[in-house]
Amino acid sequence: MEYLGTTLALFGAAIAVALSGIGSSIGVGKAGQAAAGVVSEDPDKFMKCLILQLLPATQGIYGFIVAFLVLIKINAFGGFLLNSGALLSTAGGIGILAACLPIGIVGLFSAIHQGKVAVSSIGLIAKRPEESTKGILMCAMVETYALLGLLISILAVFIPNWV
């Protein structure tokens, strides 16, 4: 029981990385399939398609950032298992776990949906390559919600009472 809070915090970090990473891999995969089709017809459109394919990957990066901040917060790199003073209470662990949920959940769903918008935008590039900026902007609109999830997770991880 003495390690329960720290274990819960580590579980939160894992959720942030896993869920946002799953969403990113799905979104990037869908966009990559569409991009491969377009590039097979016109290799000159590779860079424009690649930019759109990469956009859903950011949610996975956001989850990684939050997990890294959690590891810093719980002093995981300073040997928390050897220093019982660095262990979290159960309530602190639950708090950090809860703080990781916004980027995990929002990252999962926004990356998948951003991938779908990227697929459509890649279709736009196939027909009208000069309109690629519009496709990027449409993908960026979905990104906004991932950024909000990232922001609230970061702010919540650093609530002073969690330690």
Side-chain angles (χ1 to χ4, degrees), residues 21-87:
I22 289 167
S24 285
S25 65
I26 292 169
V28 168
K30 287 178 183 290
Q33 289 172 336
V38 170
V39 172
S40 72
E41 295 292 323
D42 186 354
D44 292 336
K45 295 177 181 169
F46 173 74
M47 284 309 295
K48 290 181 179 189
C49 289
L50 181 64
I51 291 167
L52 287 163
Q53 183 190 4
L54 291 174
L55 288 174
T58 56
Q59 285 86 336
I61 295 167
Y62 299 160
F64 175 79
I65 290 169
V66 168
F68 188 74
L69 293 174
V70 167
L71 294 175
I72 290 170
K73 174 81 173 183
I74 67 172
N75 196 26
F77 303 114
F80 65 87
L81 295 177
L82 303 175
N83 179 4
S84 63
L87 294 175

Side-chain angles (χ1 to χ4, degrees), residues 59-138:
Q59 285 86 336
I61 295 167
Y62 299 160
F64 175 79
I65 290 169
V66 168
F68 188 74
L69 293 174
V70 167
L71 294 175
I72 290 170
K73 174 81 173 183
I74 67 172
N75 196 26
F77 303 114
F80 65 87
L81 295 177
L82 303 175
N83 179 4
S84 63
L87 294 175
L88 288 176
S89 67
T90 300
I94 291 169
I96 290 180
L97 170 62
C100 293
L101 292 177
I103 191 54
I105 295 168
V106 174
L108 171 68
F109 290 108
S110 68
I112 291 169
H113 290 289
Q114 191 175 41
K116 291 177 180 179
V117 175
V119 167
S120 296
S121 297
I122 289 167
L124 173 65
I125 288 173
K127 294 179 181 177
R128 300 188 57 168
E130 69 278 2
E131 301 293 342
S132 63
T133 304
K134 291 178 182 174
I136 292 170
L137 288 173
M138 288 184 268

